[in-house]
Amino acid sequence: MSTTIPMSITVDGERHDLAVDPRTTLLDALRERLRVTTAKKGCDHGQCGACTVLLDGRRVLSCLTLAVAKDGSHVVTADGLATDDGLHPVTEAFLAYDAYQCGFCTPGQICSAVGAIDEARRGMPSAVTADLTGEVTLDRTEIAERMSGNLCRCAAYVNIVSAVEDAAHGTAPRSSTLEAQA
Amino acid sequence: MKPFTYARPAVASEAVTTLAADPDARFLAGGTNLLDHLKLGVVEPSQLVDVSRVTGTAIEELADGGLRIDAGVPNSDLAADARVRERYPAVAAAILAGASGQLRNMASTGGNLLQRTRCAYFADPTTPCTKRDLSQGCSARGGWARYHAVLGTAADGCIATHPSDLAVALVALDAQVQVLGPDGARTIPIGEFHRLPGDDPTRDTVLAHGDLVTAVDLPATTPAVRNSTYRKVRDRASYAFALVSAAVALEVADGTVVDVRIALGGVAHKPWRATTAEATLRGRPATDDEFRAAIAAELDAAAPVDSPLGGNAFKIPLVTGTVVSTLRALAGGAA
Ligand SMILES: Cc1cc2nc3c(=O)[nH]c(=O)nc-3n(C[C@H](O)[C@H](O)[C@H](O)COP(=O)(O)OP(=O)(O)OC[C@H]3O[C@@H](n4cnc5c(N)ncnc54)[C@H](O)[C@@H]3O)c2cc1C
Ligand code: SF4
Ligand code: FES
Ligand code: FES
């Protein structure tokens, strides 16, 4: 009985015009309507982070977002982070560190990491930042805290933290280098 | 999910009129609490009135030296604001202690204050809950009551706690809530904003249907407030709600407590301002013994609930330890 509402949304650089039932979440709009299945549905209640996307540049949970409320916005999923020059440095780091097992949480982890690194660069503190008014250094403790909204049932956490640390500081070997060494 | 219609008013007054005209309509802000409850069937609104584009996203200086935080300011931006971090550290610390990076980016200042309890039975429409339906009983009594209230409860009825970390800090700092209602604008002191369950646990706050929170005002900071923090104790180190928490501000001179503010989370249906503890401490030596005596006086009236599935008597020593150690850290200038 509820009528659909026209809206437009840009996903990974491509603009889509569609009409949605107001009940449709951004996650369902992406997956079921636009067939962009990068973001995953883990819990559908804001508790796991698998559905994380970048909405107008900020990391958010698409399962707790109503699609219609985001008319006109820009969404980037883990897929859309790649450019003609190759994979995003965060994605590269996840490969280099083997920061996954089944991979279900990975698209959300990568979007979350991109958002978290950006937040730290802008000086935004976290619960473990020793001096609230001081500088932010993305060490392992900071990364674990800032990534705590992304659960991994395979418990790949140790390597996820390493991957994010590398991506933030650009220190570790790339997958291509690792392969060359193998 | 039951069907609902969606409205996106252009200005705040239109949002209020639209909501007031429909008794089953609800405001939608970040959606992080409301969407969850729509999916669970905890609320079944006829209409969502989207206020995310009308409530404003500015943090502005007030003439009296305070700050006005628009209701639309995301939690993450509020915690990151340089003025808030420097002048009201307990506010930034409280927000950062809650939810996750993604949720804090989505959650609004207004929605945070209006979030509903995390009582598991409240979120499950298949179990009786007085807060959802006054004609039903309370499943938490005799059930899973680990997260529930020890202060401000009645002999029976709802023992839910208010889940917001931010609200606890705002209560300690005497913030003022700006509200636009069908009859115009008014200001509500945050200490009077959230309710004890009394005879109507369905109401968390004193707001009436159609009342829109438009901003939260922080009063000018003080030496105690500059020396404030938020400590949260929970079942895991991050991304979990509080078992107990404390927002504490302290000014000490020559070893004596000059000014102190204490608000507790996770202990009552509303953020609990520990006025008895504050009055006991003012003018006293800043020592562990005095801190302990003050919080003991506050907890004198506590009534923990016993339950085969886990009661909450552990909150008494937990609150005591949390408040004493936080006061000690602030007295030493290192919270
Ligand atoms: C997994 C998870 C973990 C969380 N952990 C924490 C935590 O540790 N600590 C914590 O404090 N919070 C936590 N939260 C809760 C989160 O902080 C709240 O959901 C959020 O602050 C609500 O804000 P919102 O803008 O999304 O509100 P919405 O979900 O949009 O709205 C919530 C309620 O407020 C009403 N409302 C919204 N804006 C206004 C307004 N301006 N005036 C009047 N009414 C309004 C709505 O009608 C609705 O009833 C968690 C949430 C999740 C999902
Ligand atoms: S404690 Fe309150 S919210 Fe929880 S079941 Fe009882 S009445 Fe419902
Ligand atoms: S699917 Fe969105 S947080 Fe789990
Ligand atoms: S890799 Fe399997 S859930 Fe994270």
Side-chain angles (χ1 to χ4, degrees):
Chain A
M1 75 155 240
S2 58
T3 46
T4 57
I5 301 177
M7 64 173 290
S8 79
I9 194 157
T10 304
V11 181
D12 295 337
E14 194 181 328
R15 186 190 149 122
H16 302 268
D17 295 287
L18 68 165
V20 294
D21 182 302
R23 291 171 291 181
T24 314
T25 62
L26 178 59
L27 179 60
D28 285 342
L30 290 173
R31 295 183 59 86
E32 311 294 336
R33 298 293 306 280
L34 305 177
R35 299 289 167 195
V36 176
T37 55
T38 330
K40 302 290 183 264
K41 187 183 281 192
C43 65
D44 212 21
H45 287 281
Q47 300 183 358
C48 76
C51 65
T52 304
V53 298
L54 298 166
L55 178 73
D56 295 328
R58 296 167 74 123
R59 53 176 174 157
V60 302
L61 301 176
S62 58
C63 74
L64 291 185
T65 302
L66 273 192
V68 67
K70 300 304 167 192
D71 182 18
S73 63
H74 287 251
V75 173
V76 174
T77 72
D79 199 16
L81 288 170
T83 62
D84 290 343
D85 296 336
L87 296 179
H88 189 278
V90 171
T91 316
E92 276 281 5
F94 268 68
L95 286 168
Y97 281 88
D98 206 11
Y100 45 79
Q101 220 177 93
C102 75
F104 190 83
C105 71
T106 312
Q109 300 275 5
I110 289 174
C111 283
S112 190
V114 170
I117 291 169
D118 179 55
E119 288 159 16
R121 281 202 184 123
R122 286 190 281 134
M124 297 172 87
S126 85
V128 298
T129 309
D131 176 4
L132 269 185
T133 55
E135 301 257 297
V136 173
T137 313
L138 268 192
D139 57 20
R140 294 185 72 88
T141 312
E142 279 278 3
I143 291 166
E145 164 61 25
R146 289 168 190 264
M147 294 292 292
S148 73
N150 292 81
L151 306 192
C152 174
R153 290 304 294 265
C154 303
Y157 296 113
V158 176
N159 291 357
I160 291 171
V161 173
S162 299
V164 179
E165 197 177 17
D166 166 31
H169 306 295
T171 45
R174 297 282 163 220
S175 54
S176 45
T177 346
L178 288 182
E179 273 156 27
Q181 285 165 0
Chain B
M1 217 188 287
K2 290 261 176 71
F4 52 77
T5 57
Y6 170 84
R8 189 188 297 143
V11 289
S13 57
E14 187 190 339
V16 170
T17 325
T18 310
L19 202 91
D22 180 350
D24 295 320
R26 292 286 183 278
F27 290 130
L28 169 74
T32 58
N33 193 227
L34 190 56
L35 262 279
D36 196 11
H37 285 164
L38 291 172
K39 294 178 190 193
L40 293 165
V42 172
V43 280
E44 296 183 328
S46 55
Q47 176 179 202
L48 292 191
V49 178
D50 188 347
V51 296
S52 62
R53 301 186 196 201
V54 305
T55 40
T57 54
I59 303 177
E60 279 164 6
E61 296 282 351
L62 290 170
D64 67 358
L67 283 183
R68 170 158 297 174
I69 305 153
D70 284 346
V73 172
N75 287 181
S76 47
D77 292 7
L78 178 54
D81 187 276
R83 295 161 296 181
V84 173
R85 288 195 261 164
E86 196 197 322
R87 280 146 61 179
Y88 311 94
V91 171
I95 293 170
L96 295 171
S100 67
Q102 293 96 314
L103 286 159
R104 293 191 297 268
N105 277 340
M106 304 163 73
S108 65
T109 304
N112 190 308
L113 301 186
L114 272 300
Q115 61 176 302
R116 312 295 315 267
T117 183
R118 305 304 286 202
C119 172
Y121 305 103
F122 174 77
D124 177 2
T126 66
T127 57
C129 169
T130 319
K131 186 180 269 303
R132 257 187 290 103
D133 181 345
L134 274 180
S135 70
Q136 300 179 348
C138 167
S139 299
R141 288 187 178 270
W144 200 64
R146 183 172 161 73
Y147 277 85
H148 292 69
V150 293
L151 286 166
T153 54
D156 54 12
C158 181
I159 47 170
T161 51
H162 196 272
S164 167
D165 293 300
L166 170 61
V168 178
L170 295 180
V171 165
L173 272 44
D174 289 321
Q176 308 266 335
V177 185
Q178 301 296 346
V179 176
L180 183 66
D183 299 326
R186 67 189 195 280
T187 306
I188 304 173
I190 186 82
E192 294 162 26
F193 185 78
H194 294 99
R195 296 177 69 252
L196 288 177
D199 56 8
D200 189 0
T202 63
R203 293 179 61 211
D204 300 343
T205 70
V206 297
L207 292 189
H209 187 73
D211 282 344
L212 176 73
V213 171
T214 55
V216 173
D217 292 353
L218 298 175
T221 191
T222 65
V225 169
R226 277 183 189 274
N227 186 39
S228 68
T229 192
Y230 186 75
R231 188 160 298 179
K232 181 172 176 181
V233 184
R234 39 187 162 172
D235 279 329
R236 57 183 184 196
S238 185
Y239 200 21
F241 285 91
L243 284 163
V244 305
S245 67
V248 183
L250 181 69
E251 183 191 356
V252 175
D254 300 327
T256 300
V257 174
V258 178
D259 189 14
V260 61
R261 324 273 193 96
I262 304 170
L264 305 173
V267 298
H269 194 259
K270 63 176 192 180
W272 188 268
R273 182 77 182 260
T275 46
T276 305
E278 292 178 8
T280 310
L281 262 186
R282 232 169 254 122
R284 304 293 304 172
T287 62
D288 272 20
D289 285 348
E290 297 284 344
F291 298 156
R292 203 174 303 279
I295 192 65
E298 186 70 44
L299 294 172
D300 211 29
V305 290
D306 206 7
S307 164
L309 292 183
N312 60 12
F314 72 89
K315 285 192 176 181
I316 308 299
L318 194 55
V319 169
T320 307
T322 303
V323 171
V324 170
S325 66
T326 309
L327 282 166
R328 184 197 303 136
L330 289 173

